[in-house]
Amino acid sequence: MSVTAVVPGSFDPITLGHLDVVRRVAAHLDRVVVAVLENPRKQGLFTVDERLEIIRAEVADLANVEVDRFAGLLVDYCTSRGIGLIVKGVRAASDVDYEMPMAHMNRQMAGVETLFIPASPEHAHVSSSLVKEIASWGGPLDGSVSAAVEAALRSRFPARA
Ligand code: PNS
């Protein structure tokens, strides 16, 4: 049996924590689809096209990882692609509290299961929102994002005088 999982998110932008999850999951499953949410209610720092391009470059060495976009309910996307599994990285108990109702709801709505994988300790404090805030003030991003993502962030926030 071939097992495919969706790793969904906003990925605005993708962090080393996200990438660590994708790599670890891809090492155990046949196929991983990194799915970027197109959210008409929330404008990101990067467009969805930009996020897709960034992520594709980051996972180019992983033959079993695909990058895609989705709009609307995640379970509708999963069902349309015949995928029955979502994988989410969790950094702390607060992530579990936030994710658990969605996991139950996704199973209730469509029978789509969610597996949680613990974030690596070195990434447990990293988030896209913190990364954007630090970048906006010209702060250091080592250990939080890749060199390519850092360059993309720096180009969005020109050096402060
Ligand atoms: O990176 P994020 O923003 O924490 O990812 C959240 C995401 C995109 C996984 C979640 O918001 C989602 O699944 N949104 C799609 C809409 C949906 O299915 N909502 C109902 C969840 S029960």
Side-chain angles (χ1 to χ4, degrees):
M1 190 180 77
S2 164
V3 180
T4 299
V6 171
V7 177
S10 302
F11 303 115
D12 185 41
I14 195 160
T15 67
L16 291 181
H18 293 130
L19 287 168
D20 177 61
V21 165
V22 171
R23 282 179 188 282
R24 286 163 58 209
V25 174
H28 292 278
L29 300 185
D30 298 291
R31 192 158 186 80
V32 171
V33 180
V34 180
V36 181
L37 173 66
E38 282 184 68
N39 188 349
R41 290 186 209 120
K42 197 167 140 194
Q43 171 142 27
L45 177 64
F46 295 98
T47 66
V48 171
D49 284 335
E50 288 169 334
R51 293 179 225 173
L52 290 168
E53 191 182 331
I54 289 170
I55 300 168
R56 286 198 178 111
E58 296 290 341
V59 300
D61 59 314
L62 300 172
N64 62 337
V65 176
E66 173 194 337
V67 184
D68 196 7
R69 63 205 297 156
F70 75 102
L73 289 177
L74 177 58
V75 289
D76 288 341
Y77 173 76
C78 291
T79 304
S80 73
R81 295 213 42 185
I83 299 171
L85 186 63
I86 296 164
V87 176
K88 295 271 188 85
V90 290
R91 294 163 295 188
S94 53
D95 277 352
V96 179
D97 286 345
Y98 173 72
E99 295 289 348
M100 198 67 88
M102 287 197 283
H104 286 306
M105 199 58 90
N106 286 334
R107 190 159 70 98
Q108 178 178 301
M109 287 190 288
V112 176
E113 293 282 8
T114 300
L115 296 183
F116 296 121
I117 183 168
S120 296
E122 64 268 33
H123 300 128
H125 57 291
V126 177
S127 68
S128 298
S129 49
L130 276 182
V131 157
K132 282 184 280 194
E133 186 181 343
I134 292 165
S136 77
W137 293 103
L141 296 167
D142 324 66
S144 297
V145 295
S146 71
V149 173
E150 176 167 354
L153 283 161
R154 299 285 179 224
S155 71
R156 278 303 135 94
F157 298 108
R160 302 176 80 85

mmCIF file of all heavy atoms in Angstrom, residues 90-139:
data_model
loop_
_atom_site.group_PDB
_atom_site.id
_atom_site.type_symbol
_atom_site.label_atom_id
_atom_site.label_comp_id
_atom_site.label_asym_id
_atom_site.label_seq_id
_atom_site.Cartn_x
_atom_site.Cartn_y
_atom_site.Cartn_z
ATOM 1 N N VAL A 90 4.058 19.729 15.533
ATOM 2 C CA VAL A 90 3.627 20.451 16.740
ATOM 3 C C VAL A 90 4.853 20.850 17.550
ATOM 4 O O VAL A 90 5.761 20.057 17.776
ATOM 5 C CB VAL A 90 2.621 19.647 17.596
ATOM 6 C CG1 VAL A 90 1.293 19.540 16.890
ATOM 7 C CG2 VAL A 90 3.142 18.273 17.950
ATOM 8 N N ARG A 91 4.850 22.123 17.968
ATOM 9 C CA ARG A 91 6.014 22.657 18.682
ATOM 10 C C ARG A 91 5.824 22.608 20.191
ATOM 11 O O ARG A 91 6.787 22.530 20.932
ATOM 12 C CB ARG A 91 6.260 24.107 18.242
ATOM 13 C CG ARG A 91 6.681 24.240 16.803
ATOM 14 C CD ARG A 91 6.523 25.643 16.298
ATOM 15 N NE ARG A 91 5.120 26.017 16.282
ATOM 16 C CZ ARG A 91 4.643 27.132 15.761
ATOM 17 N NH1 ARG A 91 5.458 28.021 15.243
ATOM 18 N NH2 ARG A 91 3.353 27.381 15.764
ATOM 19 N N ALA A 92 4.586 22.708 20.625
ATOM 20 C CA ALA A 92 4.315 22.792 22.066
ATOM 21 C C ALA A 92 2.870 22.383 22.304
ATOM 22 O O ALA A 92 2.098 22.209 21.355
ATOM 23 C CB ALA A 92 4.536 24.226 22.540
ATOM 24 N N ALA A 93 2.518 22.258 23.586
ATOM 25 C CA ALA A 93 1.151 21.850 23.936
ATOM 26 C C ALA A 93 0.130 22.817 23.336
ATOM 27 O O ALA A 93 -0.976 22.409 22.962
ATOM 28 C CB ALA A 93 1.011 21.782 25.450
ATOM 29 N N SER A 94 0.501 24.081 23.229
ATOM 30 C CA SER A 94 -0.438 25.062 22.668
ATOM 31 C C SER A 94 -0.760 24.729 21.207
ATOM 32 O O SER A 94 -1.883 24.948 20.753
ATOM 33 C CB SER A 94 0.130 26.474 22.777
ATOM 34 O OG SER A 94 1.418 26.519 22.203
ATOM 35 N N ASP A 95 0.207 24.191 20.487
ATOM 36 C CA ASP A 95 -0.077 23.769 19.106
ATOM 37 C C ASP A 95 -1.071 22.610 19.096
ATOM 38 O O ASP A 95 -1.968 22.552 18.260
ATOM 39 C CB ASP A 95 1.210 23.315 18.395
ATOM 40 C CG ASP A 95 2.016 24.469 17.822
ATOM 41 O OD1 ASP A 95 1.507 25.612 17.834
ATOM 42 O OD2 ASP A 95 3.134 24.226 17.347
ATOM 43 N N VAL A 96 -0.889 21.679 20.034
ATOM 44 C CA VAL A 96 -1.812 20.537 20.096
ATOM 45 C C VAL A 96 -3.221 21.028 20.404
ATOM 46 O O VAL A 96 -4.194 20.598 19.778
ATOM 47 C CB VAL A 96 -1.351 19.497 21.152
ATOM 48 C CG1 VAL A 96 -2.334 18.337 21.230
ATOM 49 C CG2 VAL A 96 0.045 18.992 20.829
ATOM 50 N N ASP A 97 -3.331 21.961 21.349
ATOM 51 C CA ASP A 97 -4.646 22.514 21.707
ATOM 52 C C ASP A 97 -5.311 23.150 20.485
ATOM 53 O O ASP A 97 -6.518 23.030 20.282
ATOM 54 C CB ASP A 97 -4.512 23.596 22.790
ATOM 55 C CG ASP A 97 -4.207 22.998 24.144
ATOM 56 O OD1 ASP A 97 -4.377 21.775 24.304
ATOM 57 O OD2 ASP A 97 -3.787 23.756 25.033
ATOM 58 N N TYR A 98 -4.511 23.832 19.678
ATOM 59 C CA TYR A 98 -5.043 24.518 18.492
ATOM 60 C C TYR A 98 -5.399 23.512 17.394
ATOM 61 O O TYR A 98 -6.421 23.643 16.706
ATOM 62 C CB TYR A 98 -3.971 25.507 18.006
ATOM 63 C CG TYR A 98 -4.269 26.191 16.711
ATOM 64 C CD1 TYR A 98 -5.254 27.171 16.617
ATOM 65 C CD2 TYR A 98 -3.547 25.868 15.559
ATOM 66 C CE1 TYR A 98 -5.512 27.799 15.409
ATOM 67 C CE2 TYR A 98 -3.802 26.495 14.356
ATOM 68 C CZ TYR A 98 -4.791 27.457 14.284
ATOM 69 O OH TYR A 98 -5.053 28.075 13.089
ATOM 70 N N GLU A 99 -4.548 22.501 17.240
ATOM 71 C CA GLU A 99 -4.705 21.559 16.126
ATOM 72 C C GLU A 99 -5.762 20.477 16.375
ATOM 73 O O GLU A 99 -6.365 19.970 15.430
ATOM 74 C CB GLU A 99 -3.368 20.840 15.847
ATOM 75 C CG GLU A 99 -2.254 21.744 15.370
ATOM 76 C CD GLU A 99 -2.473 22.246 13.945
ATOM 77 O OE1 GLU A 99 -3.354 21.720 13.243
ATOM 78 O OE2 GLU A 99 -1.761 23.189 13.545
ATOM 79 N N MET A 100 -5.945 20.111 17.648
ATOM 80 C CA MET A 100 -6.802 18.961 17.953
ATOM 81 C C MET A 100 -8.239 19.120 17.436
ATOM 82 O O MET A 100 -8.762 18.198 16.789
ATOM 83 C CB MET A 100 -6.786 18.708 19.461
ATOM 84 C CG MET A 100 -7.257 17.350 19.849
ATOM 85 S SD MET A 100 -6.128 16.070 19.277
ATOM 86 C CE MET A 100 -5.003 15.995 20.637
ATOM 87 N N PRO A 101 -8.898 20.272 17.675
ATOM 88 C CA PRO A 101 -10.260 20.403 17.141
ATOM 89 C C PRO A 101 -10.299 20.291 15.618
ATOM 90 O O PRO A 101 -11.233 19.702 15.063
ATOM 91 C CB PRO A 101 -10.695 21.802 17.599
ATOM 92 C CG PRO A 101 -9.804 22.149 18.734
ATOM 93 C CD PRO A 101 -8.507 21.454 18.480
ATOM 94 N N MET A 102 -9.293 20.830 14.950
ATOM 95 C CA MET A 102 -9.279 20.730 13.477
ATOM 96 C C MET A 102 -9.101 19.276 13.051
ATOM 97 O O MET A 102 -9.735 18.815 12.093
ATOM 98 C CB MET A 102 -8.153 21.598 12.888
ATOM 99 C CG MET A 102 -8.447 23.069 12.961
ATOM 100 S SD MET A 102 -7.404 24.042 11.853
ATOM 101 C CE MET A 102 -5.878 24.063 12.750
ATOM 102 N N ALA A 103 -8.250 18.555 13.780
ATOM 103 C CA ALA A 103 -8.036 17.142 13.444
ATOM 104 C C ALA A 103 -9.337 16.357 13.597
ATOM 105 O O ALA A 103 -9.715 15.556 12.725
ATOM 106 C CB ALA A 103 -6.935 16.558 14.335
ATOM 107 N N HIS A 104 -10.030 16.595 14.716
ATOM 108 C CA HIS A 104 -11.314 15.888 14.936
ATOM 109 C C HIS A 104 -12.322 16.281 13.863
ATOM 110 O O HIS A 104 -13.053 15.437 13.335
ATOM 111 C CB HIS A 104 -11.873 16.219 16.317
ATOM 112 C CG HIS A 104 -11.145 15.544 17.444
ATOM 113 N ND1 HIS A 104 -10.944 14.187 17.492
ATOM 114 C CD2 HIS A 104 -10.572 16.046 18.549
ATOM 115 C CE1 HIS A 104 -10.277 13.884 18.590
ATOM 116 N NE2 HIS A 104 -10.033 14.988 19.249
ATOM 117 N N MET A 105 -12.359 17.582 13.550
ATOM 118 C CA MET A 105 -13.339 18.062 12.579
ATOM 119 C C MET A 105 -13.038 17.489 11.185
ATOM 120 O O MET A 105 -13.960 17.105 10.455
ATOM 121 C CB MET A 105 -13.313 19.593 12.559
ATOM 122 C CG MET A 105 -14.531 20.231 11.964
ATOM 123 S SD MET A 105 -16.043 19.776 12.811
ATOM 124 C CE MET A 105 -16.161 21.034 14.069
ATOM 125 N N ASN A 106 -11.781 17.436 10.836
ATOM 126 C CA ASN A 106 -11.417 16.905 9.518
ATOM 127 C C ASN A 106 -11.777 15.426 9.405
ATOM 128 O O ASN A 106 -12.189 14.949 8.343
ATOM 129 C CB ASN A 106 -9.924 17.139 9.245
ATOM 130 C CG ASN A 106 -9.622 18.590 8.920
ATOM 131 O OD1 ASN A 106 -10.487 19.311 8.433
ATOM 132 N ND2 ASN A 106 -8.415 19.027 9.200
ATOM 133 N N ARG A 107 -11.643 14.706 10.514
ATOM 134 C CA ARG A 107 -12.042 13.290 10.486
ATOM 135 C C ARG A 107 -13.562 13.162 10.447
ATOM 136 O O ARG A 107 -14.116 12.343 9.724
ATOM 137 C CB ARG A 107 -11.479 12.534 11.689
ATOM 138 C CG ARG A 107 -11.670 11.020 11.568
ATOM 139 C CD ARG A 107 -10.719 10.274 12.451
ATOM 140 N NE ARG A 107 -11.052 10.434 13.847
ATOM 141 C CZ ARG A 107 -11.746 9.560 14.554
ATOM 142 N NH1 ARG A 107 -12.180 8.438 13.999
ATOM 143 N NH2 ARG A 107 -12.003 9.773 15.822
ATOM 144 N N GLN A 108 -14.235 14.030 11.236
ATOM 145 C CA GLN A 108 -15.706 13.999 11.260
ATOM 146 C C GLN A 108 -16.278 14.327 9.880
ATOM 147 O O GLN A 108 -17.216 13.683 9.407
ATOM 148 C CB GLN A 108 -16.208 15.014 12.291
ATOM 149 C CG GLN A 108 -17.720 15.120 12.395
ATOM 150 C CD GLN A 108 -18.112 16.123 13.479
ATOM 151 O OE1 GLN A 108 -17.746 15.962 14.642
ATOM 152 N NE2 GLN A 108 -18.828 17.164 13.103
ATOM 153 N N MET A 109 -15.688 15.332 9.226
ATOM 154 C CA MET A 109 -16.233 15.782 7.938
ATOM 155 C C MET A 109 -15.971 14.795 6.818
ATOM 156 O O MET A 109 -16.818 14.588 5.956
ATOM 157 C CB MET A 109 -15.618 17.145 7.530
ATOM 158 C CG MET A 109 -16.111 18.309 8.329
ATOM 159 S SD MET A 109 -15.571 19.878 7.594
ATOM 160 C CE MET A 109 -13.820 19.874 7.970
ATOM 161 N N ALA A 110 -14.792 14.191 6.829
ATOM 162 C CA ALA A 110 -14.398 13.444 5.621
ATOM 163 C C ALA A 110 -13.597 12.183 5.904
ATOM 164 O O ALA A 110 -13.115 11.539 4.959
ATOM 165 C CB ALA A 110 -13.592 14.362 4.702
ATOM 166 N N GLY A 111 -13.456 11.823 7.197
ATOM 167 C CA GLY A 111 -12.683 10.621 7.509
ATOM 168 C C GLY A 111 -11.193 10.784 7.257
ATOM 169 O O GLY A 111 -10.469 9.789 7.195
ATOM 170 N N VAL A 112 -10.748 12.024 7.124
ATOM 171 C CA VAL A 112 -9.317 12.269 6.903
ATOM 172 C C VAL A 112 -8.615 12.312 8.268
ATOM 173 O O VAL A 112 -9.017 13.065 9.159
ATOM 174 C CB VAL A 112 -9.088 13.592 6.128
ATOM 175 C CG1 VAL A 112 -7.597 13.880 5.985
ATOM 176 C CG2 VAL A 112 -9.753 13.511 4.757
ATOM 177 N N GLU A 113 -7.613 11.481 8.432
ATOM 178 C CA GLU A 113 -6.895 11.381 9.706
ATOM 179 C C GLU A 113 -5.749 12.391 9.759
ATOM 180 O O GLU A 113 -5.200 12.786 8.717
ATOM 181 C CB GLU A 113 -6.295 9.974 9.876
ATOM 182 C CG GLU A 113 -7.314 8.864 10.048
ATOM 183 C CD GLU A 113 -7.901 8.812 11.465
ATOM 184 O OE1 GLU A 113 -7.636 9.704 12.279
ATOM 185 O OE2 GLU A 113 -8.641 7.842 11.737
ATOM 186 N N THR A 114 -5.385 12.757 10.983
ATOM 187 C CA THR A 114 -4.228 13.650 11.177
ATOM 188 C C THR A 114 -3.209 12.968 12.074
ATOM 189 O O THR A 114 -3.559 12.414 13.116
ATOM 190 C CB THR A 114 -4.668 14.971 11.843
ATOM 191 O OG1 THR A 114 -5.630 15.618 11.008
ATOM 192 C CG2 THR A 114 -3.479 15.900 12.048
ATOM 193 N N LEU A 115 -1.964 12.995 11.665
ATOM 194 C CA LEU A 115 -0.868 12.541 12.524
ATOM 195 C C LEU A 115 -0.066 13.766 12.923
ATOM 196 O O LEU A 115 0.204 14.639 12.092
ATOM 197 C CB LEU A 115 0.044 11.557 11.787
ATOM 198 C CG LEU A 115 -0.565 10.221 11.347
ATOM 199 C CD1 LEU A 115 0.519 9.349 10.705
ATOM 200 C CD2 LEU A 115 -1.184 9.477 12.534
ATOM 201 N N PHE A 116 0.345 13.794 14.198
ATOM 202 C CA PHE A 116 1.188 14.884 14.688
ATOM 203 C C PHE A 116 2.618 14.392 14.832
ATOM 204 O O PHE A 116 2.846 13.277 15.312
ATOM 205 C CB PHE A 116 0.691 15.389 16.050
ATOM 206 C CG PHE A 116 -0.679 15.997 16.000
ATOM 207 C CD1 PHE A 116 -1.711 15.472 16.769
ATOM 208 C CD2 PHE A 116 -0.945 17.092 15.194
ATOM 209 C CE1 PHE A 116 -2.979 16.029 16.730
ATOM 210 C CE2 PHE A 116 -2.205 17.655 15.149
ATOM 211 C CZ PHE A 116 -3.226 17.122 15.914
ATOM 212 N N ILE A 117 3.550 15.232 14.438
ATOM 213 C CA ILE A 117 4.961 14.893 14.601
ATOM 214 C C ILE A 117 5.605 16.019 15.421
ATOM 215 O O ILE A 117 5.352 17.199 15.152
ATOM 216 C CB ILE A 117 5.657 14.689 13.227
ATOM 217 C CG1 ILE A 117 7.115 14.267 13.419
ATOM 218 C CG2 ILE A 117 5.577 15.925 12.336
ATOM 219 C CD1 ILE A 117 7.770 13.779 12.117
ATOM 220 N N PRO A 118 6.380 15.656 16.447
ATOM 221 C CA PRO A 118 6.961 16.724 17.264
ATOM 222 C C PRO A 118 8.018 17.501 16.496
ATOM 223 O O PRO A 118 8.873 16.905 15.826
ATOM 224 C CB PRO A 118 7.588 15.989 18.452
ATOM 225 C CG PRO A 118 7.772 14.586 18.012
ATOM 226 C CD PRO A 118 6.741 14.310 16.947
ATOM 227 N N ALA A 119 7.962 18.802 16.600
ATOM 228 C CA ALA A 119 9.018 19.629 15.995
ATOM 229 C C ALA A 119 10.338 19.291 16.664
ATOM 230 O O ALA A 119 10.381 18.964 17.853
ATOM 231 C CB ALA A 119 8.700 21.103 16.209
ATOM 232 N N SER A 120 11.406 19.367 15.915
ATOM 233 C CA SER A 120 12.719 19.178 16.522
ATOM 234 C C SER A 120 12.943 20.295 17.536
ATOM 235 O O SER A 120 12.531 21.440 17.298
ATOM 236 C CB SER A 120 13.806 19.236 15.448
ATOM 237 O OG SER A 120 13.645 18.159 14.558
ATOM 238 N N PRO A 121 13.586 19.964 18.674
ATOM 239 C CA PRO A 121 13.741 20.977 19.733
ATOM 240 C C PRO A 121 14.379 22.272 19.238
ATOM 241 O O PRO A 121 14.008 23.358 19.690
ATOM 242 C CB PRO A 121 14.646 20.281 20.764
ATOM 243 C CG PRO A 121 14.462 18.827 20.511
ATOM 244 C CD PRO A 121 14.156 18.659 19.050
ATOM 245 N N GLU A 122 15.300 22.165 18.298
ATOM 246 C CA GLU A 122 15.980 23.393 17.835
ATOM 247 C C GLU A 122 15.064 24.302 17.025
ATOM 248 O O GLU A 122 15.424 25.440 16.727
ATOM 249 C CB GLU A 122 17.256 23.044 17.052
ATOM 250 C CG GLU A 122 17.055 22.271 15.767
ATOM 251 C CD GLU A 122 17.121 20.754 15.946
ATOM 252 O OE1 GLU A 122 16.712 20.259 17.026
ATOM 253 O OE2 GLU A 122 17.552 20.068 14.998
ATOM 254 N N HIS A 123 13.884 23.775 16.659
ATOM 255 C CA HIS A 123 12.945 24.600 15.891
ATOM 256 C C HIS A 123 11.656 24.893 16.658
ATOM 257 O O HIS A 123 10.730 25.487 16.102
ATOM 258 C CB HIS A 123 12.574 23.891 14.579
ATOM 259 C CG HIS A 123 13.745 23.618 13.702
ATOM 260 N ND1 HIS A 123 14.021 22.380 13.179
ATOM 261 C CD2 HIS A 123 14.726 24.419 13.270
ATOM 262 C CE1 HIS A 123 15.121 22.436 12.466
ATOM 263 N NE2 HIS A 123 15.569 23.659 12.493
ATOM 264 N N ALA A 124 11.600 24.469 17.906
ATOM 265 C CA ALA A 124 10.328 24.523 18.638
ATOM 266 C C ALA A 124 9.833 25.948 18.880
ATOM 267 O O ALA A 124 8.654 26.152 19.170
ATOM 268 C CB ALA A 124 10.448 23.768 19.957
ATOM 269 N N HIS A 125 10.709 26.916 18.759
ATOM 270 C CA HIS A 125 10.312 28.317 19.012
ATOM 271 C C HIS A 125 10.151 29.098 17.699
ATOM 272 O O HIS A 125 9.840 30.292 17.725
ATOM 273 C CB HIS A 125 11.391 29.001 19.857
ATOM 274 C CG HIS A 125 12.733 28.926 19.184
ATOM 275 N ND1 HIS A 125 13.421 27.736 19.048
ATOM 276 C CD2 HIS A 125 13.464 29.862 18.568
ATOM 277 C CE1 HIS A 125 14.546 27.974 18.391
ATOM 278 N NE2 HIS A 125 14.586 29.245 18.074
ATOM 279 N N VAL A 126 10.387 28.447 16.579
ATOM 280 C CA VAL A 126 10.410 29.158 15.290
ATOM 281 C C VAL A 126 9.008 29.205 14.691
ATOM 282 O O VAL A 126 8.318 28.186 14.640
ATOM 283 C CB VAL A 126 11.378 28.451 14.308
ATOM 284 C CG1 VAL A 126 11.346 29.132 12.940
ATOM 285 C CG2 VAL A 126 12.801 28.439 14.868
ATOM 286 N N SER A 127 8.604 30.392 14.234
ATOM 287 C CA SER A 127 7.316 30.516 13.543
ATOM 288 C C SER A 127 7.458 31.525 12.410
ATOM 289 O O SER A 127 8.315 32.423 12.468
ATOM 290 C CB SER A 127 6.218 30.983 14.507
ATOM 291 O OG SER A 127 6.467 32.312 14.908
ATOM 292 N N SER A 128 6.612 31.399 11.415
ATOM 293 C CA SER A 128 6.647 32.346 10.297
ATOM 294 C C SER A 128 6.385 33.771 10.788
ATOM 295 O O SER A 128 7.009 34.724 10.311
ATOM 296 C CB SER A 128 5.599 31.973 9.247
ATOM 297 O OG SER A 128 5.865 30.701 8.717
ATOM 298 N N SER A 129 5.468 33.910 11.749
ATOM 299 C CA SER A 129 5.132 35.266 12.189
ATOM 300 C C SER A 129 6.311 35.912 12.920
ATOM 301 O O SER A 129 6.621 37.094 12.688
ATOM 302 C CB SER A 129 3.865 35.279 13.033
ATOM 303 O OG SER A 129 3.940 34.303 14.017
ATOM 304 N N LEU A 130 7.006 35.158 13.785
ATOM 305 C CA LEU A 130 8.171 35.735 14.468
ATOM 306 C C LEU A 130 9.273 36.080 13.474
ATOM 307 O O LEU A 130 9.925 37.119 13.576
ATOM 308 C CB LEU A 130 8.722 34.745 15.508
ATOM 309 C CG LEU A 130 8.053 34.731 16.882
ATOM 310 C CD1 LEU A 130 8.755 33.746 17.802
ATOM 311 C CD2 LEU A 130 8.047 36.123 17.497
ATOM 312 N N VAL A 131 9.465 35.176 12.509
ATOM 313 C CA VAL A 131 10.493 35.397 11.493
ATOM 314 C C VAL A 131 10.213 36.706 10.735
ATOM 315 O O VAL A 131 11.118 37.506 10.483
ATOM 316 C CB VAL A 131 10.517 34.172 10.541
ATOM 317 C CG1 VAL A 131 11.091 34.506 9.206
ATOM 318 C CG2 VAL A 131 11.264 33.009 11.207
ATOM 319 N N LYS A 132 8.950 36.937 10.397
ATOM 320 C CA LYS A 132 8.595 38.164 9.661
ATOM 321 C C LYS A 132 8.834 39.396 10.536
ATOM 322 O O LYS A 132 9.324 40.417 10.048
ATOM 323 C CB LYS A 132 7.138 38.101 9.204
ATOM 324 C CG LYS A 132 6.951 37.224 7.989
ATOM 325 C CD LYS A 132 5.525 37.239 7.488
ATOM 326 C CE LYS A 132 4.643 36.327 8.304
ATOM 327 N NZ LYS A 132 3.344 36.049 7.684
ATOM 328 N N GLU A 133 8.473 39.283 11.810
ATOM 329 C CA GLU A 133 8.666 40.436 12.694
ATOM 330 C C GLU A 133 10.159 40.757 12.833
ATOM 331 O O GLU A 133 10.567 41.923 12.747
ATOM 332 C CB GLU A 133 8.050 40.159 14.064
ATOM 333 C CG GLU A 133 8.112 41.381 14.954
ATOM 334 C CD GLU A 133 7.537 41.154 16.338
ATOM 335 O OE1 GLU A 133 6.804 40.170 16.531
ATOM 336 O OE2 GLU A 133 7.849 41.960 17.220
ATOM 337 N N ILE A 134 10.968 39.717 13.041
ATOM 338 C CA ILE A 134 12.412 39.937 13.194
ATOM 339 C C ILE A 134 12.985 40.517 11.900
ATOM 340 O O ILE A 134 13.765 41.477 11.923
ATOM 341 C CB ILE A 134 13.107 38.614 13.590
ATOM 342 C CG1 ILE A 134 12.679 38.210 15.008
ATOM 343 C CG2 ILE A 134 14.628 38.741 13.492
ATOM 344 C CD1 ILE A 134 12.996 36.773 15.379
ATOM 345 N N ALA A 135 12.549 39.959 10.768
ATOM 346 C CA ALA A 135 13.047 40.460 9.476
ATOM 347 C C ALA A 135 12.655 41.920 9.274
ATOM 348 O O ALA A 135 13.430 42.707 8.732
ATOM 349 C CB ALA A 135 12.493 39.598 8.342
ATOM 350 N N SER A 136 11.469 42.289 9.738
ATOM 351 C CA SER A 136 11.006 43.673 9.532
ATOM 352 C C SER A 136 11.878 44.673 10.275
ATOM 353 O O SER A 136 11.933 45.842 9.915
ATOM 354 C CB SER A 136 9.542 43.819 9.961
ATOM 355 O OG SER A 136 9.449 43.876 11.367
ATOM 356 N N TRP A 137 12.557 44.204 11.319
ATOM 357 C CA TRP A 137 13.461 45.071 12.088
ATOM 358 C C TRP A 137 14.918 44.808 11.747
ATOM 359 O O TRP A 137 15.825 45.262 12.444
ATOM 360 C CB TRP A 137 13.216 44.875 13.590
ATOM 361 C CG TRP A 137 11.866 45.364 13.992
ATOM 362 C CD1 TRP A 137 10.765 44.614 14.247
ATOM 363 C CD2 TRP A 137 11.452 46.722 14.150
ATOM 364 N NE1 TRP A 137 9.685 45.400 14.558
ATOM 365 C CE2 TRP A 137 10.087 46.710 14.506
ATOM 366 C CE3 TRP A 137 12.099 47.949 14.016
ATOM 367 C CZ2 TRP A 137 9.363 47.878 14.724
ATOM 368 C CZ3 TRP A 137 11.375 49.115 14.247
ATOM 369 C CH2 TRP A 137 10.018 49.070 14.599
ATOM 370 N N GLY A 138 15.150 44.019 10.701
ATOM 371 C CA GLY A 138 16.522 43.766 10.265
ATOM 372 C C GLY A 138 17.300 42.843 11.182
ATOM 373 O O GLY A 138 18.529 42.824 11.155
ATOM 374 N N GLY A 139 16.604 42.059 11.993
ATOM 375 C CA GLY A 139 17.290 41.177 12.949
ATOM 376 C C GLY A 139 17.801 39.903 12.309
ATOM 377 O O GLY A 139 17.490 39.597 11.152
#
